[in-house]
Amino acid sequence: MPRVTRRLTEDKRARADAAAVIAEAFRQALEAAEAFAGATAPNPPVGCIALDADGQILACEAHQRAGGPHAEAAAIEACRRAGVLDRIATLVVTLEPCNHTGRTPPCADAILSTPATAVWIGASDPNRRVAGGGAARLAARGLEVRWIESLPRRDAAALARDARRLIAPFGRAARAGRPWLTVKQAVAADGGMIPPPGCKTFTSASSLRLAHQLRRRADAIITGSGCVLADDPAFTVRHVPDHPGKRRRLAILDRRRRTPPAYLRAAEARGFDVALHDDLHALMADLHAGGALEALVEAGPTLMGALLAEGLWDEHVVIRQRAGQPDAVDIRTREPV
Ligand SMILES: NC(=O)c1ccc[n+]([C@@H]2O[C@H](COP(=O)([O-])OP(=O)(O)OC[C@H]3O[C@@H](n4cnc5c(N)ncnc54)[C@H](OP(=O)(O)O)[C@@H]3O)[C@@H](O)[C@H]2O)c1
């Protein structure tokens, strides 16, 4: 092979290798962040990886709870503790670094205090106009700022979509002033939503696990008095580990005040902040004011029908029982994510 051609081929391979390193780091950053989805409200879950010049991972951290360090600050601090701060060459972060002082100092400043020369970012900050762009600030200070969707790989668009989905509840709250609404619906083989007498559910063990994963990432559960009266539901996270110390709201739509006081007391004893509500829109404003990013709707056909008819939903999860086969799970997500 002529020397020039060989060099071009080697350059191409090196670029592909470098892109593969960023893609893998980004996937790990997403995974780190997803583990804390449901624990960070009113902040979004965020993951960050610090890489050295050879593409070795120096630190992988996530934002774990509001008031705690942001993912970038945590990754930088982990590098400092490990004595590798001076080796940071690239930071890979799922959400645009913040550029404002909230409960913690701006992440853009933390990044500028490191030797990093490049930052890969998954999603832009939905609060951009309020906060001022962290990406622009870093670029203005000479860092190479790249968005993950520009990664020269076939999976770049999917990585960017995953990053946007991760912060979708935060975006919904910032733009619409209400939590992201996940509506979970179990449908029996006969198409109905009512379990057989004596049963609270008709879905399989794996569907039950999914339902509890949805609860885990929610800051509030929304239900109707009909569901409460029929099922006496616990609404706790049981089939997957919950976030330690997580306290959720339990909002019961109940204009006629049919919910038994004993149910309210028992729900409080299970760790919920419980309240009865009359109006869906007022409830949305109330949940938003309380910092909830995501609410899971687990209700009977009346309330669910009302929400779907109003278009008041963001993710519709349908678990469909099938005779003699595993349940089918259908997830529809509202754009834009
Ligand atoms: N398959 C599933 O996924 C699933 C899930 C949960 C429950 N269920 C089943 O569903 C059955 C109960 O059904 P359901 O339809 O009676 O229960 P529901 O939808 O949970 O609750 C109905 C009550 O919610 C309130 N409500 C509904 N829409 C409202 C709105 N737009 N604004 C304000 N309040 C509203 C009303 O209270 P007021 O009448 O006081 O106004 C209404 O009576 C049970 O058999 C249960 O097992 C199935």
Side-chain angles (χ1 to χ4, degrees):
M1 198 188 294
R3 244 173 60 196
V4 174
T5 315
R6 192 167 59 223
R7 192 164 342 111
L8 285 176
T9 310
E10 281 166 6
D11 283 355
K12 207 170 152 190
R13 192 171 307 135
R15 276 201 302 275
D17 288 350
V21 165
I22 299 298
E24 179 52 30
F26 196 79
R27 254 189 293 278
Q28 290 192 34
L30 282 171
E31 215 177 281
E34 271 156 12
F36 292 94
T40 59
N43 294 344
V46 184
C48 179
I49 297 254
L51 297 170
D52 72 6
D54 297 327
Q56 295 295 316
I57 292 181
L58 300 173
C60 171
E61 295 291 335
H63 179 50
Q64 301 192 4
R65 59 182 168 78
H70 288 188
E72 303 91 317
I76 292 165
E77 175 56 19
C79 289
R80 195 190 59 75
R81 277 199 313 272
V84 293
L85 191 64
D86 57 347
R87 282 175 53 199
I88 300 178
T90 301
L91 287 161
V92 177
V93 59
T94 57
L95 174 65
E96 181 177 5
C98 68
N99 190 27
H100 64 285
T101 305
R103 286 200 239 182
T104 59
C107 288
D109 284 359
I111 293 171
L112 289 169
S113 74
T114 75
T117 54
V119 181
W120 284 89
I121 304 173
S124 59
D125 187 341
N127 275 325
R128 173 184 292 275
R129 264 167 301 163
V130 181
R137 169 102 188 279
L138 293 171
R141 292 287 294 269
L143 270 75
E144 184 191 349
V145 176
R146 303 279 303 274
W147 298 91
I148 205 69
E149 63 200 2
S150 72
L151 195 67
R153 281 174 61 92
R154 267 206 295 264
D155 55 0
L159 291 173
R161 201 168 43 244
D162 289 349
R164 287 196 300 273
R165 174 62 191 87
L166 181 68
I167 58 141
F170 181 66
R172 184 63 80 239
R175 296 195 180 107
R178 67 160 175 84
W180 177 267
L181 285 178
T182 300
V183 177
K184 190 211 82 184
Q185 182 175 12
V187 179
D190 66 4
M193 276 184 68
I194 313 295
C199 296
K200 288 189 183 184
T201 179
F202 41 76
T203 51
S204 67
S206 69
S207 305
L208 214 53
R209 208 178 124 75
L210 169 66
H212 285 250
Q213 278 164 346
L214 297 176
R215 280 184 192 167
R216 181 181 198 269
R217 70 180 205 203
D219 301 305
I221 308 287
I222 298 176
T223 191
S225 53
C227 175
V228 167
L229 288 168
D231 299 340
D232 188 23
F235 290 128
T236 47
V237 176
R238 296 188 301 277
H239 299 267
V240 295
D242 199 1
H243 301 296
K246 174 76 185 178
R247 209 174 159 83
R248 292 183 178 81
R249 288 185 58 174
L250 175 58
I252 306 171
L253 272 300
D254 182 12
R255 288 170 291 212
R256 286 181 280 164
R257 299 295 184 262
R258 290 186 297 156
T259 303
Y263 179 84
L264 300 176
R265 282 195 298 275
E268 258 161 30
R270 287 193 293 273
F272 286 101
D273 294 323
V274 199
L276 304 179
H277 297 266
D278 298 329
D279 178 75
L280 278 170
H281 294 277
L283 170 61
M284 292 302 120
D286 192 25
L287 290 174
H288 180 63
L293 289 186
E294 174 158 353
L296 174 66
V297 180
E298 298 196 67
T302 311
L303 179 53
M304 195 158 294
L307 284 158
L308 295 175
E310 279 208 44
L312 204 48
W313 61 276
D314 296 293
E315 199 148 79
H316 186 190
V317 179
V318 181
I319 300 170
R320 212 175 290 281
Q321 188 191 39
R322 296 182 301 177
Q325 286 184 70
D327 294 347
V329 177
D330 177 33
I331 301 178
R332 271 197 304 157
T333 304
R334 264 276 169 79
E335 293 294 335
V337 180

